Amino acid sequence: SQTSVQVALLAAALPAGSTVLVPEHEFSSLVLPFVHAGRGIRVRTAPLSRLADAITSSTTLVAFSLVQSACGHVADVDAICTAAAAVGARTVCDATQAVGWMPVDAGRFDALLCHAYKWLCCPRGVAFMSVSADYARTLAPVQAGWYAGDDPWTSCYGGDADLAACARRFDVSPAWQAFVGAEPALRTFAQADIAAVHAHATGLASRLRRALELEQPDIPTAIVTWVDPGGDDLARLQAAGITASGRNGRARVAFHVFNDETDVDRAVAALRG
């Protein structure tokens, strides 16, 4: 039901003395399970733009968000995965802020996490993790409950049940009502033209950046942020009835399938008014 639960499973499987590399200002659910894993596991940080360069022979695992929550920057997947492969480091990618508006290939990583209540528009409590077959063999099902059994309805009691041979051995029991609500949302995005969604969302974001004279990122993103330490711009947006947020001293606006150019124009008018 949460990405932190999934990350904790990965952290528990790390060998003692491992070194984990994460970006600076990374979302805490991806970092804290490693920080508090014990067993001499060390967590290093580096700027996202230089994360690939910070991977060394001592790096055991690299964990990063494909799209940063606070600023919307998109990670250079090619550089990070290439550098990690060169030293045999595992890659763990949190795609919570990416899946739903940009194409994502889970097969690029040893593990990919995604909480679906963001860009996939599902109820909160629906999260997914994919792991490579090679990585899965190194993981212990430390959170195994009745739902992880090969036949859940015969593994409700006692400790002699066989666990599922598939990835469900790592599952916790789902939040039933949330998954009922998630099914139509997931079906909608599975059937969508994700390249068209990406072009639409990033196009609106670029329009706002041009209007506000903000720098365009090297990799297009649907999230626009700018320095707003006092929250004044955020207050202007909210006063105009625009849903926006403040993250790490920055104002933050995000565009998706339900937005259009009138939303951009409203935001510009609110900020300039």
Side-chain angles (χ1 to χ4, degrees):
S1 56
Q2 295 96 19
T3 54
S4 57
V5 174
Q6 299 165 339
V7 178
L9 174 70
L10 306 180
L14 280 174
S18 295
T19 297
V20 176
L21 176 66
V22 300
E24 293 177 349
H25 308 296
E26 180 59 82
F27 194 71
S28 59
S29 292
L30 186 59
V31 179
L32 292 180
F34 294 116
V35 170
H36 296 287
R39 308 189 314 283
I41 292 172
R42 298 182 302 150
V43 177
R44 294 174 48 232
T45 63
L48 179 67
S49 60
R50 299 198 295 274
L51 194 66
D53 296 333
I55 298 172
T56 68
S57 58
S58 65
T59 305
T60 309
L61 183 148
V62 186
F64 63 98
S65 290
L66 182 53
V67 178
Q68 288 291 304
S69 170
C71 61
H73 292 168
V74 181
D76 187 342
V77 170
D78 290 338
I80 294 171
C81 289
T82 298
V87 298
R90 297 283 188 188
T91 53
V92 175
C93 177
D94 185 342
T96 297
Q97 294 286 351
V99 176
W101 69 266
M102 68 178 291
V104 178
D105 180 4
R108 298 291 305 276
F109 315 103
D110 291 292
L112 182 132
L113 322 166
C114 179
H115 201 305
Y117 82 105
K118 290 290 186 177
W119 299 85
L120 288 171
C121 302
C122 294
R124 185 171 175 83
V126 177
F128 299 95
M129 178 172 70
S130 67
V131 294
S132 67
D134 172 63
Y135 195 18
R137 284 190 288 269
T138 72
L139 304 178
V142 294
Q143 294 152 176
W146 70 274
Y147 194 74
D150 185 53
D151 177 4
W153 299 113
T154 62
S155 58
C156 293
Y157 306 101
D160 57 353
D162 292 327
L163 296 185
C166 62
R168 190 165 50 77
R169 70 194 291 117
F170 303 121
D171 271 353
V172 295
S173 57
W176 302 113
Q177 292 90 341
F179 270 79
V180 171
E183 192 276 334
L186 294 174
R187 182 173 65 248
T188 297
F189 282 97
Q191 295 172 349
D193 181 345
I194 195 63
V197 173
H198 179 264
H200 173 76
T202 58
L204 294 176
S206 294
R207 179 185 175 95
L208 179 61
R209 289 191 196 92
R210 288 193 298 271
L212 300 181
E213 299 181 346
L214 299 174
E215 183 179 358
Q216 298 286 351
D218 293 333
I219 305 176
T221 176
I223 300 172
V224 182
T225 70
W226 61 94
V227 176
D228 184 33
D232 297 333
D233 284 347
L234 176 59
R236 293 186 183 96
L237 292 169
Q238 293 176 336
I242 297 171
T243 300
S245 58
R247 295 289 185 271
N248 203 25
R250 303 176 70 88
R252 181 185 187 276
V253 176
F255 296 97
H256 205 7
V257 293
F258 36 71
N259 296 117
D260 57 28
E261 292 183 351
T262 61
D263 294 315
V264 178
D265 297 341
R266 286 180 60 215
V268 173
L271 292 168
R272 289 179 172 170

